[in-house]
Amino acid sequence: MADATETGAPEVALDEIVALAKRRGFIFPSSEIYGGVGSTYDYGHYGVLMRNNVKDEWWRSMVRERDDIVALDSAILQHPRVWEASGHLEGFTDPLVDCRTCGLRFRADKLGDAQCGRKPSKHPGEFSECDLTDAREFNLMFETHVGPVKDTASTAYLRPETAQGIFINFKNVLQFARKKPPFGIAQVGKSFRNEITTGNFIFRTREFEQMEMEYFVPPDEAPKWHQYWMDARMRWYTDLGIRPANLKLRPHDSDELSHYSSATSDVEYLFPMGWSELEGIANRGDFDLTQHANASGEKLEYFDQEKGEAYVPHVIEPAAGVDRTMLAFIVDAYDTEEVEGRKRTVLRLHPRLAPVKVAVLPLVSKEGMPERAREIYEDLRARVPAEYDEGGSIGKRYRRQDEIGTPWGITVDGQTMEDGTVTLRDRDTLEQERVPAEGLNDRLAAKVAEPWTSPKLS
Ligand code: GAP
């Protein structure tokens, strides 16, 4: 199989990822029994476990292993004036065109990427019958109503980013956390955007989850911290197994910058559809705190005791998407190879991201093996996420575990019943060693904690 590290070309088609995700219970199209609802997905058992691992790794790096960042979980529904002050009501728009002939809608600035509804495949505007309207600005926020009366006074919005919940809590956090800049507030949660064009599986959806951290710094230190967070975030992805050749930082051109940003760089990943944004790392300056201070009348600043003066901190924001990150980890881990004349599909996930760390399999369902295997499994699962599986041939069971990315497999066989040893199989090398069943949980917990690099690099 061609390797993106050599060719610079995506090495797996998105369809293969979508098929694996469904087949192995990671991600399902939502409302499928009703014919589906566009670009909305449900996460199945392994998807939930892996997603939790992704978020946990983010929390670990942002909060657990640092002293300067605290956690927050703000509400999805906020005061409508939040979105006025943040600039979203006015400026969170995409240019939209309608086709009067086919009734489809397109982003005016992405016509070259869009497909007209007619056949053969052409871009909107390319058929003589295409009749596109002029572009008009379309606000991406989902509007809803709070309370029983549907009038303008009850209008509310589903948050389009988690960030604003952090800015409006700046004062609360400053008071309770006794932090001084540089310090950060981290949040993970759902955001909603009425995207005109969605697609590419979970890459762009209308409901998605973000992992955002706002890092408040003295104004003259903002460029330094911007660089710091770009480096730290790139490292996070590569430490968790993304191959460096598939990751790059791309600074925004000045005409791409969001209304709040003085500088942004995107972490881009080589997705099956090409290089695309995985995370944005922005220097938001004092835009948000100043806007909310002006709109609310509250002082949102830090008083520097040493200098005897107050200032509005500047903000550096690494903003990642959980779903896109999941997709990148799965794509980067996806591999196929031929083993003994048969195709093997395997997710070579970092063990810390793998939904299940170890599978315990009795060789056959008799001679006391299932009972002994269950004992071992119950001992293991107290320390590491484990799975017990006794259905079907051992080969089929291993193939299933390979496809969900389980790094280790334990087989309980006839010899186990005699001398208390089991075989320990490695997902990537396929090597099997005989080890004592005694102490397996310590051994596996230690293996999960070890540094790891993708075997696709060697
Ligand atoms: N607070 C800044 C902010 O929201 P953004 O670049 O619009 O910045 C940050 O979003 C990240 O959220 C993106 O890099 C992406 O990973 C994720 N994201 C944004 N829109 C998304 C969508 N429609 N579907 C899935 N993920 C999305």
Side-chain angles (χ1 to χ4, degrees):
M1 180 186 276
D3 188 331
T5 50
E6 291 161 17
T7 64
E11 62 190 44
V12 54
L14 194 56
D15 286 352
E16 287 178 69
I17 300 294
V18 176
L20 175 96
K22 179 156 189 225
R23 182 168 77 244
R24 292 304 179 196
F26 281 81
I27 301 163
F28 311 117
S30 188
S31 312
E32 221 181 354
I33 60 167
Y34 289 101
V37 47
S39 289
T40 310
Y41 294 91
D42 298 336
Y43 283 74
H45 179 69
Y46 297 119
V48 172
L49 297 184
M50 182 179 167
R51 195 181 162 93
N52 285 345
N53 294 343
V54 169
K55 291 188 275 186
D56 189 61
E57 288 301 326
W58 190 86
W59 281 119
R60 175 212 293 272
S61 73
M62 285 293 175
V63 174
R64 282 210 301 281
E65 293 184 348
R66 305 181 65 103
D67 300 321
D68 57 348
I69 303 181
V70 295
L72 180 78
D73 190 352
S74 70
I76 287 174
L77 291 176
Q78 295 165 20
H79 197 290
R81 288 186 60 207
V82 169
W83 307 110
E84 214 175 290
S86 69
H88 283 81
L89 258 184
E90 179 72 24
F92 196 56
T93 57
D94 276 341
L96 166 83
V97 294
D98 290 290
C99 178
R100 295 189 190 92
T101 309
C102 66
L104 291 179
R105 298 185 140 182
F106 307 99
R107 259 179 76 166
D109 56 339
K110 300 267 180 199
L111 289 180
D113 301 340
Q115 295 299 302
C116 178
R118 309 196 142 197
K119 298 272 180 296
S121 173
K122 281 194 183 185
H123 300 307
E126 290 182 354
F127 286 102
S128 54
E129 301 90 344
C130 290
D131 183 9
L132 301 183
T133 61
D134 288 340
R136 63 196 156 87
E137 291 302 320
F138 171 77
N139 196 297
L140 300 183
M141 283 197 295
F142 277 103
E143 209 176 290
T144 185
H145 292 271
V146 173
V149 185
K150 223 176 170 185
D151 59 15
T152 46
S154 70
T155 301
Y157 303 92
L158 302 187
R159 67 178 176 201
E161 61 172 17
T162 59
Q164 297 305 321
I166 295 180
F167 298 126
I168 60 174
N169 276 289
F170 173 78
K171 205 170 160 186
N172 287 334
V173 174
L174 201 59
Q175 272 163 6
F176 104 86
R178 291 173 292 121
K179 299 278 181 220
K180 63 178 203 174
F183 80 96
I185 306 176
Q187 161 151 246
V188 174
K190 287 259 171 143
S191 293
F192 303 83
R193 296 182 188 176
N194 199 359
E195 303 277 5
I196 299 168
T197 44
T198 51
N200 290 321
F201 194 33
I202 53 171
F203 179 81
R204 190 183 306 283
T205 50
R206 297 195 173 95
E207 172 181 347
F208 54 96
E209 205 167 6
Q210 292 186 305
M211 307 183 280
E212 298 199 288
M213 194 275 293
E214 310 300 324
Y215 201 65
F216 301 91
V217 303
D220 58 341
E221 294 182 14
K224 176 181 96 180
W225 286 110
H226 192 207
Q227 186 59 50
Y228 170 91
W229 281 108
M230 289 191 278
D231 297 342
R233 293 304 300 150
M234 290 290 278
R235 225 173 19 250
W236 186 80
Y237 291 105
T238 53
D239 284 353
L240 287 171
I242 297 271
R243 287 163 293 163
N246 292 347
L247 209 59
K248 69 178 180 198
L249 262 179
R250 188 185 65 80
H252 278 205
D253 294 330
S254 54
D255 61 349
E256 278 183 272
L257 290 173
S258 307
H259 59 276
Y260 50 74
S261 168
S262 60
T264 297
S265 283
D266 284 345
V267 177
E268 292 194 340
Y269 177 72
L270 185 57
F271 285 100
M273 59 282 186
W275 287 101
S276 310
E277 176 187 340
L278 191 53
E279 165 163 356
I281 303 165
N283 179 350
R284 295 181 77 121
D286 62 359
F287 177 84
D288 304 274
L289 290 182
T290 304
Q291 288 289 106
H292 287 302
N294 290 342
S296 67
E298 288 281 346
K299 272 193 180 153
L300 299 179
E301 50 190 34
Y302 173 74
F303 186 78
D304 186 332
Q305 302 280 0
E306 281 162 29
K307 291 193 178 145
E309 62 186 30
Y311 67 87
V312 180
H314 282 204
V315 171
I316 305 301
E317 174 197 69
V322 177
D323 312 83
R324 279 190 200 178
T325 305
M326 280 273 294
L327 185 58
F329 282 131
I330 293 176
V331 166
D332 220 72
Y334 185 93
D335 206 1
T336 55
E337 63 182 5
E338 199 155 303
V339 180
E340 292 164 8
R342 297 190 62 180
K343 182 179 162 193
R344 178 172 91 112
T345 302
V346 52
L347 279 191
R348 302 191 192 277
L349 289 169
H350 190 299
R352 293 212 306 258
L353 296 178
V356 175
K357 314 300 177 199
V358 56
V360 185
L361 319 172
L363 183 63
V364 289
S365 289
K366 54 185 183 188
E367 294 161 16
M369 288 179 216
E371 293 75 13
R372 181 67 190 114
R374 260 209 89 84
E375 275 170 19
I376 293 173
Y377 155 69
E378 281 170 21
D379 185 44
L380 272 168
R381 75 176 178 188
R383 293 290 298 281
V384 290
E387 192 168 278
Y388 172 79
D389 186 4
E390 67 171 62
S393 76
I394 192 88
K396 269 202 177 135
R397 280 180 277 161
Y398 269 131
R399 262 198 302 288
R400 184 174 164 275
Q401 294 299 333
D402 287 341
E403 290 200 2
I404 64 170
T406 306
W408 298 287
I410 288 168
T411 311
V412 171
D413 55 16
Q415 196 176 329
T416 313
M417 310 310 287
E418 285 164 21
D419 67 7
T421 63
V422 295
T423 61
L424 179 60
R425 173 194 187 256
D426 184 292
R427 171 196 72 197
D428 297 319
T429 62
L430 291 179
E431 275 164 21
Q432 305 217 17
E433 53 175 327
R434 259 219 98 94
V435 298
E438 195 71 25
L440 262 180
N441 58 9
D442 284 341
R443 194 183 190 113
L444 265 299
K447 277 170 107 55
V448 174
E450 277 169 11
W452 186 89
T453 49
S454 170
K456 290 170 92 180
L457 279 173
S458 50

